[in-house]
Amino acid sequence: MKIYFTEDYYHMSRVAANIISAQVILKENSVLGLATGSSPVGTYKQLINWHEKGDISFRNCKAVNLDEYVGLTKENEQSYAYFMRTNFFDHIDIDMRNTNIPDGQNMDADNECARYNSVIRSLGGIDIQLLGIGHNGHIGFNEPGEAFGKETHCVQLKESTIKANTRFFSSEAQVPVKAYTMGIKSIMSAKKILLIASGADKAEIMYEMITGPITPAVPASILQLHNDVTVVGDKEALSVLKEKSPELITFMN
Ligand code: F6R
């Protein structure tokens, strides 16, 4: 595991965007595994900026996203499909036919998960998978306790997640209660993994993920077993690691 220590969210995003650019420049038809959430927004912004300057093209890339809520249309502003269009795809030259996100409108979970697994396989696997991390160590929607051996599957959202999401919807009844997510096995099959984290609220879980026991109780801890993982964290997210195990860190400037 390579662990890069950066100054702040902007610096983290720049370093992460550099790693993704290098991947795309070395292999123009890369399969990019992408994530949503607040962590990757700056990375996408930086990639858009380099694309606009003519430094990078995604014309031949393919994209597969980690997850999507069940029951939301692609036009719903809370859907991950909408997030990806507005934060990334609409601003770059990727062919939208080459972008893939689980179909939240397919209510047949077995059918949708099998379809998504076969999409990933048909692309020849993921070249680089971008990940954020939840406060409890979740990656994708793989919450603590989920078996490591799963590919794409349907998860029942925790009551706390549903409550937390209520603020984005006009009523609690509209909040999705299920999501489709790539499983840990799908994520671990990616050739490279790039995990980004920013903020003091991620400091404890980052330390646990990197140095703690490998256990389904901390889903991201499995990444210790992957042979090509790069972690880019800002100084707050890596503050506990810096204090307890600074020898594991590469300091970027
Ligand atoms: C996003 C995803 C989630 C987030 C995680 C961190 O597609 O699958 O696992 O990466 O919840 O979210 P943020 O970046 O908002 O802190």
Side-chain angles (χ1 to χ4, degrees):
M1 208 181 260
K2 293 182 272 289
I3 301 162
Y4 294 133
F5 183 100
T6 60
E7 263 316 296
D8 52 21
Y9 181 81
Y10 175 75
H11 189 201
M12 173 200 79
S13 303
R14 237 183 120 82
V15 171
N18 246 305
I19 293 168
I20 295 172
S21 296
Q23 170 67 41
V24 172
I25 289 164
L26 291 174
K27 186 181 175 199
E28 60 173 17
N29 60 347
S30 287
V31 178
L32 307 175
L34 300 175
T36 58
S38 55
S39 305
V41 172
T43 305
Y44 295 146
K45 264 199 189 123
Q46 184 62 74
L47 289 169
I48 292 166
N49 182 259
W50 287 333
H51 168 69
E52 284 169 349
K53 284 190 183 152
D55 293 341
I56 180 169
S57 169
F58 298 89
R59 202 171 34 245
N60 296 316
C61 287
K62 300 197 167 82
V64 274
N65 262 79
L66 279 171
D67 41 18
E68 179 61 284
Y69 290 115
V70 175
L72 297 189
T73 66
K74 294 180 172 60
E75 288 67 42
N76 186 305
E77 291 181 18
Q78 302 308 328
S79 73
Y80 288 172
Y82 183 90
F83 175 101
M84 287 310 296
R85 286 200 307 280
T86 50
N87 284 288
F88 197 32
F89 298 150
D90 283 353
H91 310 283
I92 58 171
D93 59 348
I94 197 163
D95 183 339
M96 281 306 287
R97 288 168 303 184
N98 289 332
T99 66
N100 299 280
I101 300 181
D103 179 1
Q105 285 174 277
N106 184 353
M107 302 308 281
D108 181 341
D110 289 346
N111 173 277
E112 181 52 21
C113 296
R115 183 194 72 82
Y116 206 63
N117 288 332
S118 73
V119 165
I120 299 171
R121 267 186 218 110
S122 72
L123 297 175
I126 296 165
D127 287 303
I128 187 165
Q129 176 65 55
L130 179 62
L131 295 176
I133 182 170
H135 298 115
N136 58 6
H138 74 227
I139 45 179
F141 267 116
N142 297 283
E143 296 289 353
E146 194 87 63
F148 282 151
K150 290 189 185 172
E151 295 185 283
T152 309
H153 59 287
C154 184
V155 292
Q156 189 75 38
L157 300 182
K158 293 217 158 33
E159 197 52 43
S160 55
T161 309
I162 297 169
K163 285 252 174 310
N165 285 346
T166 304
R167 67 188 193 279
F168 298 119
F169 294 84
S170 43
S171 73
E172 193 171 334
Q174 288 178 302
V175 185
V177 293
K178 286 181 184 172
Y180 294 133
T181 183
M182 279 189 205
I184 297 290
K185 186 174 173 186
S186 332
I187 294 170
M188 288 295 280
S189 303
K191 289 167 199 136
K192 297 189 180 111
I193 291 177
L194 170 60
L195 183 142
I196 55 179
S198 166
D201 53 324
K202 299 280 173 79
E204 284 295 341
I205 196 65
M206 288 294 279
Y207 179 68
E208 245 185 277
M209 166 189 87
I210 295 165
T211 66
I214 298 166
T215 162
V218 180
S221 63
I222 190 79
L223 299 178
Q224 293 176 33
L225 295 182
H226 193 285
N227 64 10
D228 195 347
V229 177
T230 304
V231 172
V232 185
D234 68 7
K235 73 166 174 257
E236 292 186 333
L238 291 176
S239 56
V240 175
L241 188 70
K242 185 181 171 217
E243 194 189 310
K244 297 189 176 164
S245 309
E247 71 286 356
L248 298 178
I249 296 177
T250 302
F251 293 88
M252 303 295 280
N253 45 38

